[in-house]
Every structure is written in structure tokens, then in C-alpha cells.
Amino acid sequence: MKIKILHLYPDLLNLYGDKGNIECMRMRLVWRGIDAEVVKYTCEDTGFDLSDIDIVFVGGGSDREQKIVCHRLLEHKKDLQEYVENGGALVAVCGGYQLLGKYYKLEDETIEGLDILDIYTEQGKKRLIGNIVLKSDFIDQKIVGFENHGGRTYIGKHMPLGKVLYGYGNEEKSGAEGVIYKNVIATYLHGPLFPKNPQLCDYVLTAALKKKYPDFTELAPLDDSLENTANKYIVDRFKSD
Ligand code: GLN
């Protein structure tokens, strides 16, 4: 078995080292004897082909970087929409999450999004920064992370990735964070999302493997004692119930 991961714009969208999530996905496959290949698409490249891609990852960046990326990504709007509708796995963090929506409205301009999710984002006054803890319906482990965004994302009828137990989330008020749609995971949680949340990482890997290999059932367990200790430490520190 083999999984091919496409990392979109590692040169521009890599705030807080979002690319560590790529390494985490790769190693959690390799440790189970599954081949993993990572291909990068940067601003220097002329186009990408999604036909043999199993997981797409797009990280977060500043508004300036997001604008550059957005113009380039719109060239692939239809391909990315089809990829998602056909069940392709896609993980988008912060700025990448905002770009999946209809638009991102800034004070003086509006950035057109990929319209993959029926959501939109508007810039707010203060930035929403800090640790965050979520409870999701589809994995047992609480999801922990760090958020830092000026945008408020309104997800309409979409299912959130999780309920906020501590922190701000999509727009501070609804108590929802991120979106889960088909095999898309979109979230404001930056940095080591997968290293700190091994169950979430395995959820994405399992989705990609099931799509590619219809007979695939489940991943072999790994010794996640260190990862689980890190996760629990944050849960206990910010949310003890
Ligand atoms: N530019 C976006 C915002 O501030 C995303 C920033 C980020 O990726 N941290 O809302």
C-alpha cells in the first residue's frame, strides 16, 4: 500500500511549522509498513495534478501570503472541488481553512475562496489567540491545539470539527470549531495538530486508505503513550472535565 501526500505552498503557508503535520502523517504510515510519498507544490511551480494524490495538506499564513496563494489556487478551483466531492482527503489549517470557503472579507478587500465549503470568513477587530481544546463526535480523544486568527468563519449548515471546551473557535460565539465535510478536515488549530492529536491523524490516514483500497479496514495500533501524555496534559491544564 502507498499514500501520496500533496503539500500545497510549503514556502508560503507554514505558520508555526504546520509542515510538521506532513512528517507526522508520513511516519505514522511508515511505522505501519505503508509507503508514503510527499510531493510539494510551491509558488515556483506551474501546476499540480491531483489524479494520483491521496491527501492534500494546506497550512496557514498571513493575509498577505494568503492573497498570493489564493490567486494561484483559483486556477485549480474546479480540480480541487472535484477531488473533494469524490472523497479525496484534504486537511486545511487556518489561512488554508479560510480559503476553502466562498470568501474572506478584509477591511479593504475581499479574497475570493475556492468554494469547496459553504462557509465564509470576515475579519474581526481583535485577534483570537490562545490554547484551545475541542470535543469531536468522531474520535474519543479530545483535540488540543493553538489558534491565532483575525478572521471569523461562519460555517452555516456544515458540521464542525468539534465543540469548543476551551478557547474561541470559528467565530468566538457559536462554540464550534472547524469543519468536517466528506474527507475534509478544516481547522484553526495551528502547528503540531497531528503530533498532539494522534487519533485525528489516524482518522485522516484511514479515510485516505479506505478511499484508495476499498478492502482496507483499520490501521495497526502504535505506541502513542508519549503523544497521549502530551494531549492529556493540555486537556487537564485547560479543561479538567
Ligand atoms: N490570515 C488569517 C487570519 O488572521 C489566517 C492567519 C493564520 O493562518 N494564522 O485570520
Side-chain angles (χ1 to χ4, degrees):
M1 288 191 290
K2 179 176 172 182
I3 288 292
K4 193 165 172 183
I5 302 169
L6 171 64
H7 189 179
L8 288 180
Y9 305 104
D11 48 340
L12 283 174
L13 299 181
N14 185 33
L15 219 56
Y16 302 114
D18 289 330
K19 72 176 177 194
N21 292 306
I22 302 276
E23 265 312 277
C24 185
M25 287 193 279
R26 192 175 74 77
M27 288 314 297
R28 292 183 73 82
L29 289 165
V30 169
W31 287 329
R32 280 136 163 162
I34 300 168
D35 284 342
E37 183 186 348
V38 177
V39 286
K40 293 177 188 164
Y41 175 71
T42 71
C43 267
E44 309 291 307
D45 301 318
T46 47
F48 55 82
D49 175 14
L50 290 169
S51 57
D52 63 348
I53 296 297
D54 305 303
I55 302 175
V56 173
F57 183 90
V58 50
S62 68
D63 292 345
R64 188 192 71 84
E65 289 156 337
Q66 239 171 293
K67 273 183 230 168
I68 303 171
V69 163
C70 186
H71 293 303
R72 304 286 301 269
L73 265 186
L74 285 174
E75 292 164 21
H76 293 275
K77 184 170 175 172
K78 204 162 162 289
D79 294 345
L80 283 161
Q81 285 174 343
E82 276 174 17
Y83 170 85
V84 165
E85 288 307 309
N86 289 333
L90 188 154
V91 180
V93 173
C94 203
Y97 168 25
Q98 295 170 343
L99 290 179
L100 299 189
K102 291 192 179 300
Y103 60 84
Y104 174 26
K105 191 170 181 305
L106 297 159
E107 210 167 297
D108 48 357
E109 70 174 302
T110 299
I111 302 176
E112 183 185 344
L114 291 164
D115 202 9
I116 287 173
L117 301 176
D118 192 5
I119 65 172
Y120 64 93
T121 302
E122 290 176 348
Q123 194 176 40
K125 289 221 157 33
K126 82 169 187 172
R127 294 192 71 77
L128 306 178
I129 306 173
N131 287 288
I132 178 163
V133 180
L134 314 177
K135 177 73 192 101
S136 74
D137 290 337
F138 59 95
I139 53 173
D140 302 328
Q141 190 166 48
K142 293 195 175 78
I143 300 173
V144 302
F146 183 80
E147 60 183 323
N148 179 359
H149 50 109
R152 272 67 168 162
T153 299
Y154 299 89
I155 67 168
K157 293 198 175 77
H158 275 292
M159 186 188 288
L161 174 64
K163 177 174 171 287
V164 179
L165 301 181
Y166 182 91
Y168 298 107
N170 283 333
E171 26 56 37
E172 211 181 347
K173 294 193 178 88
S174 68
E177 203 293 315
V179 165
I180 178 162
Y181 170 70
K182 291 189 177 230
N183 285 328
V184 174
I185 299 277
T187 178
Y188 272 116
L189 275 59
H190 263 300
L193 174 68
F194 287 153
K196 285 199 270 189
N197 299 288
Q199 283 189 12
L200 184 62
C201 186
D202 284 357
Y203 180 89
V204 173
L205 299 179
T206 303
L209 283 159
K210 279 189 174 163
K211 161 115 185 13
K212 186 163 190 184
Y213 304 102
D215 292 338
F216 178 82
T217 51
E218 58 182 1
L219 287 164
L222 294 174
D223 175 6
D224 283 333
S225 42
L226 272 177
E227 292 83 346
N228 292 340
T229 303
N231 177 289
K232 191 172 175 312
Y233 174 81
I234 296 293
V235 173
D236 290 347
R237 185 167 154 203
F238 295 105
K239 189 74 203 170
S240 50
D241 55 7

